[in-house]
Amino acid sequence: MTWDPKKYNEFKEERSKPFDDLTSHIIDKPNLKVIDLGCGTGELTKKLSQKLTNAFVLGIDNSAEMLSKAPKQENLEFKERTILEQIGDETKWDLIFSNAALQWIDNHGELFPKIISRINPGGQLAVQMPQQNENILNKILLQLVQEEPFASHLKNWTRPSPVLTLDEYAKILFENGGQDLVLYEKVYPLISNQKDDFFEFISGSALTVYQERLKEEEFTALTTEFKKRINAYFPLVPSIYAFRRLIIYAKF
């Protein structure tokens, strides 16, 4: 995927709120060995490290564009690699953290046990993901790309969300040794101040996978129609978008 750090950071305040909720569940211990899967620009990775006592924190991301913005700090490192490459490495961690990244990896029924296997005894897992299967903008986009002419342009390729239900994550965590489970869905309301605010919010994430597969004029046509449908669903300004996210935490 191609990421635009500037576009993504236009909504960094909205994206940081669930980070604060997620980190509130983490138990700080001295000298933790921590990895942030899908760290993006590393701004929140740095914030995570500052919440912990003398922790070593590694942030990994597959986007060179994002990592070019990563901060420099003692005991904080960044590497360009995919999440799947990282968990293929047998290195173990005291805390595996991921804020709004795992929704881009398929097959969570296999992914989460693999991630858990990389946690040291007594370690922690903390994950936050958008609940894409329930969020209306994702639903509108998925419907649109299955219609013509976009279905033909994409050769009937779509990117359904791999995000599971809370019940399914609870079962995975429990069956893989998770304790003191904390799982919940929370709405993080977005308020539009002008006509295309909601489009701009999603254009920095969910649209990128389709942009990579479409010619410029095809993608322009897709975004034009997508904007029309968003504006039809949210005809008033201001409007509220009830953006749902999952918070998942466990000890092992």
Side-chain angles (χ1 to χ4, degrees):
M1 291 173 59
T2 301
W3 290 93
D4 180 347
K6 182 179 178 182
K7 174 64 67 178
Y8 192 79
N9 275 337
E10 286 177 4
F11 293 87
K12 69 179 182 179
E13 182 178 347
E14 289 82 358
R15 299 184 195 280
S16 68
K17 290 176 183 177
F19 168 89
D20 293 331
D21 286 334
L22 181 61
T23 55
S24 71
H25 301 291
I26 295 171
I27 297 173
D28 183 23
K29 301 176 183 178
N31 307 313
L32 290 177
K33 184 180 177 184
V34 181
I35 189 163
D36 181 0
L37 301 178
C39 64
T41 62
E43 184 176 357
L44 293 178
T45 314
K46 178 181 178 180
K47 190 174 178 181
L48 173 64
S49 73
Q50 293 171 339
K51 288 176 175 283
L52 301 172
T53 304
N54 198 37
F56 168 77
V57 182
L58 172 65
I60 66 108
D61 202 279
N62 68 343
S63 170
E65 294 86 357
M66 288 289 206
L67 289 174
S68 69
K69 307 295 182 182
K72 298 186 185 302
Q73 178 182 290
E74 188 177 356
N75 289 336
L76 180 62
E77 293 184 9
F78 295 94
K79 291 183 180 179
E80 184 181 344
R81 62 176 57 167
T82 69
I83 291 172
L84 292 178
E85 287 171 344
Q86 180 60 50
I87 63 174
D89 186 317
E90 294 187 0
T91 304
K92 295 199 173 186
W93 305 86
D94 300 315
L95 168 63
I96 296 183
F97 180 88
S98 185
N99 184 62
L102 297 184
Q103 72 273 14
W104 299 115
I105 310 295
D106 291 332
N107 200 346
H108 284 199
E110 292 183 5
L111 176 67
F112 271 71
K114 186 74 170 179
I115 290 173
I116 291 167
S117 74
R118 302 299 184 236
I119 300 176
N120 284 323
Q124 304 170 75
L125 174 68
V127 173
Q128 182 272 121
M129 297 176 290
Q131 180 47 290
Q132 295 171 323
N133 290 310
E134 295 183 18
N135 286 330
I136 188 61
L137 295 186
N138 296 93
K139 290 181 177 181
I140 292 172
L141 179 58
L142 185 59
Q143 176 62 43
L144 178 57
V145 296
Q146 294 178 82
E147 298 176 10
E148 295 297 346
F150 309 112
S152 293
H153 294 331
L154 292 161
K155 299 180 174 57
N156 294 312
W157 182 89
T158 61
R159 210 281 169 174
S161 174
V163 176
L164 306 175
T165 66
L166 284 176
D167 285 357
E168 289 170 310
Y169 287 117
K171 185 173 184 290
I172 292 170
L173 296 177
F174 178 76
E175 291 179 351
N176 286 274
Q179 300 176 351
D180 297 337
L181 308 186
V182 178
L183 301 98
Y184 58 93
E185 180 182 281
K186 183 174 177 179
V187 169
Y188 294 86
L190 297 175
I191 309 298
S192 62
N193 295 310
Q194 53 191 13
K195 186 177 178 182
D196 290 331
D197 276 354
F198 295 150
F199 170 80
E200 294 297 331
F201 175 75
I202 198 170
S203 68
S205 54
L207 263 179
T208 57
V209 293
Y210 297 106
Q211 184 176 13
E212 292 176 344
R213 289 167 171 79
L214 293 171
K215 297 176 182 177
E216 184 176 351
E217 64 272 18
E218 294 169 348
F219 183 68
T220 298
L222 176 67
T223 57
T224 299
E225 181 60 26
F226 189 29
K227 286 180 183 178
K228 287 181 182 177
R229 297 194 184 191
I230 294 172
N231 291 332
Y233 192 90
F234 299 101
L236 302 178
V237 176
S239 285
I240 185 169
Y241 173 32
F243 189 65
R244 295 170 172 82
R245 294 180 182 269
L246 302 182
I247 303 290
I248 298 171
Y249 171 84
K251 299 178 191 173
F252 291 89

